[in-house]
Amino acid sequence: MELLTPEMRQEAEALRKEWETNPRWKGVRRDYRPEDVVRLRPSVQVEYTLAKRGAERLWKLLHERPYVHTFGAYTGAMAVEMVRAGLEAIYLSGWQVAADANLAWQTYPDQSLYPYNSVPQIVKRINNALMRADQVERIEGKVTRDWYVPIVADAEAGFGGALNVFELTKAMIEAGAAGIHYEDQLASEKKCGHLGGKVLVPTSQHIRTLQAARLAADVMGVPTVIIARTDAEAATLITSDIDERDKPFILSDERTPEGFYRFKNGLEACIARALAYAPYADVIWMETSKPDLEEARKFAEAVKKEFPDKLLAYNLSPSFNWKKFLDDETIAKFNRELGAMGYKFQFITLAGWHTLNYYIWELAKGYKEQGMPAFVALQEKEFAAQKEGFTAVKHQREVGAGYFDEVVLALTQGEASTLALKGSTEEAQFSEPVH
């Protein structure tokens, strides 16, 4: 007999009504019951404000905008500048975390080599940076925007099985992630979608992954946007032939030295998997090998034929040599065309890493050759950008020196002689926009 208190039964009934009547859950399938969710919750329901607010805002944007486009950040400063420039969401790429922002302090390829809690920590870091930007503006009496944009975070292949996915999803929500994506690769052999050697799991196993993520979000009481990614366009191996849905794409009984089956990859395999995942996910993503509007159109039409309201995502990857495949006119309309097909979330996964590397290299090269004129040229660009809203030229203000001055003033009721910004070079030399 199931042990449920009267209060738990009441909570389960309210949850059942929520799933049945809230338009947010239209088309979402759960193979577990409200009673299961309630039994897994603690007696005191903790509120996860940033995650819940972000998920609700992301869902709203995905339905109101022609598309939401962003790129990958992996530092707080990157995220702040993205929001200041007008982007409405942040993408957090596991590749970038592996390369330059993981808790092992290592440079890794995108093969799930870093500690599993690295991405949640960067989600938290980004949210803290956005909060500081909000606090700085509040003390100045001029909040210019809603700083708390939704963060869509990369959970890779889950770093293990369903229980690992359950716990990782919880960690993402605790950190304030709005959306989370999981890919259908074998976690122990996971690769970047644009590397070789990818091994798929059976369709049923990835559905269990998606269910574990949804269950975790339900237990936490957050409408997290769950994104299902398939790597079947390029993966050449699969762990098992147990799922009947996979058998048309398994080439033969031949096994690799590791025991994997050969897999017939391509668009049809992606469509088959997308249709299987669609009831369990909010957004579907097919990882592709090149920027191809026709391929994108075929995939979208196949998904929309059976699931007309299902949202799609597209990786505008730096792993593509864009001009090798597309002319300037097509590149200029690429986002709009994708949006019209239903690709409502579009993101450049590694733009942060590429931007940081190129512009640091450019400055270093100039500084080596010219000395200070190279940096002064950068500073002049910062001054000029102030007219368009750039503020980081005042770096002391940007990181909150003025905010903590206000803390001191509140504690001393204005009787303080140790304020940081007062008498600073920033106050003397950068108090008004230059030029």
Side-chain angles (χ1 to χ4, degrees):
M1 182 178 176
E2 197 168 56
L3 299 177
L4 289 170
T5 66
E7 293 80 7
M8 291 167 70
R9 292 186 187 280
Q10 186 177 13
E11 186 180 345
E13 189 55 39
L15 188 57
R16 179 177 287 105
K17 185 177 180 181
E18 161 79 7
W19 292 353
E20 291 173 352
T21 61
N22 190 333
R24 169 65 179 86
W25 305 120
K26 179 184 177 183
V28 172
R29 176 174 171 176
R30 294 169 168 90
D31 291 339
Y32 51 83
R33 304 166 304 149
E35 288 80 3
D36 298 319
V37 173
V38 170
R39 292 181 69 233
L40 291 170
R41 284 177 172 173
S43 297
V44 176
Q45 190 71 19
V46 178
E47 291 291 330
Y48 301 99
T49 306
L50 292 179
K52 184 176 181 181
R53 186 178 186 275
E56 291 171 347
R57 185 176 175 189
L58 178 60
W59 192 250
K60 189 169 185 285
L61 288 170
L62 291 172
H63 286 83
E64 289 182 352
R65 300 287 189 269
Y67 54 87
V68 176
H69 59 312
T70 187
F71 57 81
Y74 59 96
T75 75
M78 286 182 185
V80 167
E81 295 309 322
M82 290 166 66
V83 177
R84 194 181 300 284
L87 293 180
E88 295 184 296
I90 301 292
Y91 178 68
L92 178 51
S93 157
W95 192 104
Q96 294 189 146
V97 170
D100 206 22
N102 60 78
L103 296 181
W105 309 117
Q106 288 282 357
T107 297
Y108 283 132
D110 187 14
Q111 295 179 225
S112 287
L113 296 171
Y114 59 81
Y116 83 97
N117 58 333
S118 296
V119 171
Q121 286 299 306
I122 303 302
V123 172
K124 183 177 181 180
R125 171 70 192 101
I126 288 173
N127 272 322
N128 284 344
L130 296 176
M131 185 176 291
R132 180 70 72 231
D134 175 44
Q135 290 169 326
V136 168
E137 289 196 341
R138 277 175 64 88
I139 62 165
E140 295 174 347
K142 52 174 183 180
V143 178
T144 61
R145 70 206 69 223
D146 184 344
W147 284 98
Y148 303 94
V149 303
I151 300 170
V152 176
D154 184 352
E156 306 219 352
F159 291 83
L163 295 182
N164 304 83
V165 170
F166 182 82
E167 287 297 298
L168 179 55
T169 302
K170 287 170 57 183
M172 294 285 201
I173 291 170
E174 288 172 346
I180 308 170
H181 70 76
Y182 285 95
E183 60 209 48
D184 57 1
Q185 293 188 46
L186 176 64
S188 61
E189 296 288 348
K190 179 262 186 298
K191 308 288 193 304
C192 166
H194 302 110
L195 289 174
K198 293 184 291 295
V199 183
L200 299 176
V201 296
T203 296
S204 56
Q205 185 173 336
H206 194 56
I207 289 174
R208 189 159 58 250
T209 291
L210 299 173
Q211 284 281 79
R214 182 78 71 193
L215 177 61
D218 284 339
V219 168
M220 305 284 269
V222 176
T224 307
V225 177
I226 304 296
I227 302 172
R229 168 176 143 181
T230 180
D231 283 273
E233 194 262 352
T236 58
L237 303 169
I238 189 169
T239 60
S240 170
D241 65 350
I242 192 66
D243 195 315
E244 291 294 328
R245 290 167 291 193
D246 296 325
K247 288 186 176 179
F249 306 101
I250 295 176
L251 294 174
S252 68
D253 292 333
E254 176 195 354
R255 309 287 284 273
T256 69
E258 302 88 351
F260 303 133
Y261 291 89
R262 304 285 182 185
F263 187 81
K264 181 184 177 183
N265 58 29
L267 181 60
E268 293 306 314
C270 289
I271 290 171
R273 287 188 162 231
L275 295 177
Y277 302 155
Y280 300 94
D282 300 308
V283 183
I284 301 293
W285 164 13
M286 172 182 67
E287 186 72 304
T288 64
S289 300
K290 60 182 183 296
D292 186 333
L293 286 173
E294 187 55 32
E295 179 186 56
R297 190 182 316 281
K298 289 178 181 177
F299 180 78
E301 288 174 351
V303 173
K304 295 284 189 179
K305 182 178 180 181
E306 292 199 28
F307 299 94
D309 297 325
K310 193 60 60 177
L311 304 174
L312 303 174
Y314 198 94
N315 176 8
L316 303 154
S317 178
S319 293
F320 306 153
N321 184 339
W322 281 78
K323 287 213 167 183
K324 181 176 180 179
F325 296 103
L326 305 175
D327 57 29
D328 289 342
E329 182 181 356
T330 304
I331 291 170
K333 69 179 182 179
F334 205 84
N335 295 100
R336 295 192 303 275
E337 293 280 316
L338 286 177
M341 296 176 200
Y343 292 91
K344 297 298 185 179
F345 187 64
Q346 304 175 27
F347 48 102
I348 310 171
T349 43
L350 317 181
W353 188 88
H354 281 274
T355 300
L356 184 149
N357 279 272
Y358 178 78
Y359 284 105
I360 288 293
W361 174 84
E362 184 181 69
L363 175 60
K365 186 173 183 294
Y367 186 54
K368 179 181 184 299
E369 296 170 353
Q370 307 165 27
M372 277 311 296
F375 179 76
V376 172
L378 169 63
Q379 191 177 61
E380 289 295 300
K381 290 179 181 179
E382 289 184 295
F383 287 141
Q386 288 182 107
K387 290 180 287 189
E388 299 180 75
F390 182 75
T391 63
V393 67
K394 299 179 184 179
H395 49 260
Q396 309 288 13
R397 170 210 177 264
E398 195 79 3
V399 299
Y403 175 81
F404 285 98
D405 277 351
E406 291 295 326
V407 175
V408 173
L409 289 170
L411 293 171
T412 63
Q413 287 298 288
E415 298 295 325
S417 59
T418 58
L419 300 180
L421 281 184
K422 186 173 179 59
S424 68
T425 59
E426 189 161 291
E427 180 185 58
Q429 300 176 34
F430 294 80
S431 58
E432 297 296 332
V434 179
H435 305 324

